[in-house]
C-alpha cells in the first residue's frame, strides 16, 4: 500500500540548476517547496559552464550573484579562428545596458560551485534525495480545482498543488504534458576541465577553433584551471562508439584524430584534462515550433530548464535560460501567492503558470533556434558557399543572435509589488 504524504504546496522534480534555482526563487518570496532528486546526493558531475549577462541578472534576483562573481573573472572578448585558413575574427562578449553602460557579459564557472551556492541558500530539508518519479496523476476536487498526485518508485505518493518538472532533457513531466521528445542535431560534444598547478598563463577570454566539421573552444576559469569543449559531426566510421564512456579514449581520440591539426595550446589544455571531468554526449534539441505550439503547462503542472527547452550549447545558453526560467516562474507564482493572502490557491496558480508559459515560450524558441543556427553555420563545411554564409553570419546575424543574451528576466515580487502592480506589469518590470 502506498504511503501518502500530506499535501505539499509545490513539488519540483529534479535537483539540477533549474530545480534548485526555482526552489530558491520561491523561497525568496516565502513559498515552501520540496525538490525531488533521484540521485543520493547533489549532482555535481560535469565540469563547467559559461554564464552570460542574462544569467548574472537572474542570479542577482535570486540573491546569490555576490557569492559567485568574485570567484570568476569576466571574459571580455572572444576569438574565432578558422584552422583551415588561419583567419581569426574577434568577438566582444560584453553587453550594453539600456543606459548604454558596458558590462562584462560572460564568466566561466564550475557547475559544482553554482549548484552548491544555490543549495546552501535553501531551507533545510528542501531537497529529498533518492526520490525517483514513477508516474503522475491528477484529480479534480469538489471545488473544481486540480490536485496533482506524484507516485514515486518507493511506493510513496505525494499530493501537491503545483508540480514543476526540472528533470532534464528526457523529462517525465514534459512527456506527461505531451511535449515532443528532443531530437539529435547530428553532432556530439565533449567537455573537460584542465588544471595547471603552476598557472596556465592564458588571458581571460574565449578562444574558439573551427574546421569544416568540428568546433572547439577553451576559456580560463581561474589562474590554474581551463574549461574546454569540442563538438563534431558524427564520423562515417562510427569512431565515437569507442570512447563514449572511456575518458582516456575520449582524450586520445581528440588529440590523435579529431583535433590533430588544432593549435598547440588547445591540445596542451586537452592533455592536462582531469579524467573525472571528461564527458561525451550527443547534442539534442527540441524543435522550436514544438515549444511554440505545444503545452508548456496543463492544470497546475509545468516545466523549466532543459525539460522545456533542450538546446545545443553553441550560444552557451542552456544554464542561463534555466536561471531565467526560475526567476520568471517564481515571480508569477509569487504574485498569485501574495494576492491570495500568502496562500497557494490551485485555481489561481494555474493562471500564473499560463502567464509564465506565455512569457517564456517565444524566448525559449528563439534561443533554441539561435543556438542551432550558430552551430550549423560554424561547423558545416568550408566550400565557398559556407564561407560566404559564415562571413555574413559574423557580420550581421551573430550580432542579432548574441543580442538574445542581453536579456533581463526581471525581479522577484514583494508584497508592495503585488499590491501596486498587476501580474502582467510586474512580470515585465526590468532592471536598467
Amino acid at each position: 500500500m502506498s504511503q501518502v504524504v500530506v499535501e505539499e504546496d509545490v513539488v519540483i522534480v529534479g535537483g539540477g540548476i533549474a530545480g534548485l534555482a526555482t526552489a530558491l526563487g520561491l523561497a525568496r518570496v516565502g513559498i515552501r517547496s520540496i525538490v525531488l532528486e533521484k540521485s543520493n546526493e547533489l549532482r555535481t558531475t560535469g565540469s563547467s559552464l559559461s554564464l552570460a549577462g542574462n544569467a548574472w541578472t537572474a542570479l542577482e534576483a535570486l540573491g546569490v550573484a555576490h557569492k559567485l562573481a568574485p570567484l570568476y573573472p569576466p571574459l571580455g572578448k572572444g576569438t574565432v579562428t578558422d584552422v583551415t585558413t588561419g583567419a581569426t575574427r574577434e568577438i566582444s562578449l560584453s553587453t550594453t545596458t539600456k543606459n548604454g553602460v558596458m558590462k562584462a557579459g560572460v564568466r566561466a564557472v564550475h557547475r559544482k560551485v553554482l549548484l552548491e551556492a544555490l543549495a546552501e541558500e535553501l531551507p533545510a530539508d528542501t531537497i529529498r534525495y533518492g526520490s525517483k518519479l514513477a508516474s503522475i496523476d491528477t484529480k479534480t476536487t469538489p471545488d473544481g480545482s486540480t490536485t496533482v498526485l506524484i507516485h514515486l518508485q518507493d511506493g510513496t505518493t505525494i499530493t501537491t498543488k503545483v508540480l514543476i518538472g526540472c528533470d532534464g532533457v528526457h523529462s517525465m513531466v514534459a512527456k506527461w504534458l505531451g511535449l515532443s521528445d528532443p531530437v539529435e542535431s547530428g553532432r556530439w560534444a565533449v567537455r573537460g576541465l584542465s588544471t595547471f598547478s603552476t598557472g596556465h598563463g592564458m588571458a581571460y577570454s574565449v578562444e574558439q577553433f573551427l574546421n569544416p566539421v568540428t568546433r572547439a573552444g577553451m576559456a580560463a576559469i581561474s589562474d590554474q584551471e581551463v574549461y574546454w569543449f569540442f563538438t563534431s559531426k558524427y564520423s562515417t566510421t562510427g569512431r565515437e562508439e569507442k570512447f563514449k564512456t572511456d575518458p582516456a579514449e575520449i582524450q586520445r581520440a581528440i588529440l590523435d584524430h579529431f583535433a590533430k591539426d588544432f593549435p598547440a595550446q588547445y591540445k596542451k589544455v586537452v592533455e592536462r584534462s582531469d579524467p573525472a571531468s571528461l564527458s561525451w554526449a550527443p547534442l539534442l534539441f527540441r524543435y522550436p515550433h514544438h515549444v511554440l505550439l505545444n503545452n508548456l503547462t496543463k492544470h497546475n503542472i509545468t516545466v523549466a530548464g532543459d525539460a522545456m527547452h533542450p538546446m545545443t550549447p553553441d550560444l552557451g545558453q542552456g544554464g542561463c535560460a534555466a536561471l531565467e526560467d526560475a526567476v520568471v516562474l517564481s515571480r508569477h507564482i509569487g504574485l498569485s501567492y501574495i494576492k491570495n493572502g500568502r496562500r497557494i490557491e490551485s485555481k489561481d496558480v494555474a493562471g500564473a503558470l499560463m502567464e509564465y508559459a506565455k512569457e517564456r515560450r517565444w524566448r525559449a524558441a528563439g534561443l533554441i533556434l539561435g543556438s542551432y543556427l550558430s552551430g550549423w553555420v560554424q561547423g558545416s563545411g568550408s566550400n565557398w558557399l559556407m564561407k560566404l554564409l559564415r562571413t555574413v553570419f559574423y557580420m550581421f546575424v551573430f550580432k542579432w543572435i548574441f543580442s538574445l543574451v542581453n536579456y533581463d528576466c526581471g525581479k522577484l515580487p514583494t508584497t508592495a509589488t503585488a499590491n501596486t502592480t498587476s501580474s502582467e506589469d510586474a512580470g515585465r518590470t526590468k532592471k536598467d
Side-chain angles (χ1 to χ4, degrees), residues 285-327:
F285 70 101
R286 176 165 284 131
Y287 288 123
H289 63 277
H290 288 183
V291 174
L292 293 175
L293 300 177
N294 292 350
N295 289 328
L296 300 183
T297 181
K298 185 177 181 181
H299 302 307
N300 296 347
I301 302 174
T302 193
V303 284
D306 284 344
M308 180 199 292
H309 45 62
M311 65 186 75
T312 63
D314 302 286
L315 290 181
Q317 280 293 297
C320 302
L323 292 169
E324 289 181 11
D325 292 343
V327 174

Side-chain angles (χ1 to χ4, degrees), residues 155-236:
T156 300
T157 296
I158 302 174
T159 63
T160 184
K161 297 176 182 178
V162 184
L163 172 60
I164 304 169
C166 299
D167 45 340
V169 174
H170 302 293
S171 167
M172 287 185 64
V173 181
K175 288 181 182 294
W176 187 91
L177 288 171
L179 285 169
S180 62
D181 290 334
V183 296
E184 291 210 15
S185 66
R187 296 184 296 137
W188 51 267
V190 171
R191 299 173 178 86
L193 186 65
S194 302
T195 303
F196 296 76
S197 58
T198 59
H200 50 67
M202 295 170 53
Y204 283 94
S205 63
V206 179
E207 297 182 59
Q208 297 185 63
F209 311 99
L210 310 175
N211 70 17
V213 296
T214 63
R215 176 169 169 251
M218 57 187 183
I221 298 179
S222 67
D223 291 342
Q224 296 181 327
E225 293 178 295
V226 180
Y227 163 67
W228 63 271
F229 68 87
F230 185 91
T231 67
S232 177
K233 290 184 175 181
Y234 282 93
S235 65
T236 57

Side-chain angles (χ1 to χ4, degrees), residues 388-402:
L388 176 62
L389 286 175
R390 200 168 292 134
T391 299
V392 172
F393 175 79
Y394 281 117
M395 290 180 64
F396 304 105
V397 182
F398 183 79
K399 293 180 180 179
W400 170 77
I401 290 178
F402 193 72

Side-chain angles (χ1 to χ4, degrees), residues 353-372:
L353 298 188
M354 290 292 290
E355 289 298 312
Y356 156 73
K358 179 180 177 180
E359 184 170 341
R360 295 304 292 165
R361 192 182 299 275
W362 283 95
R363 169 74 176 159
L367 287 172
I368 294 171
L369 179 60
S371 296
Y372 180 83

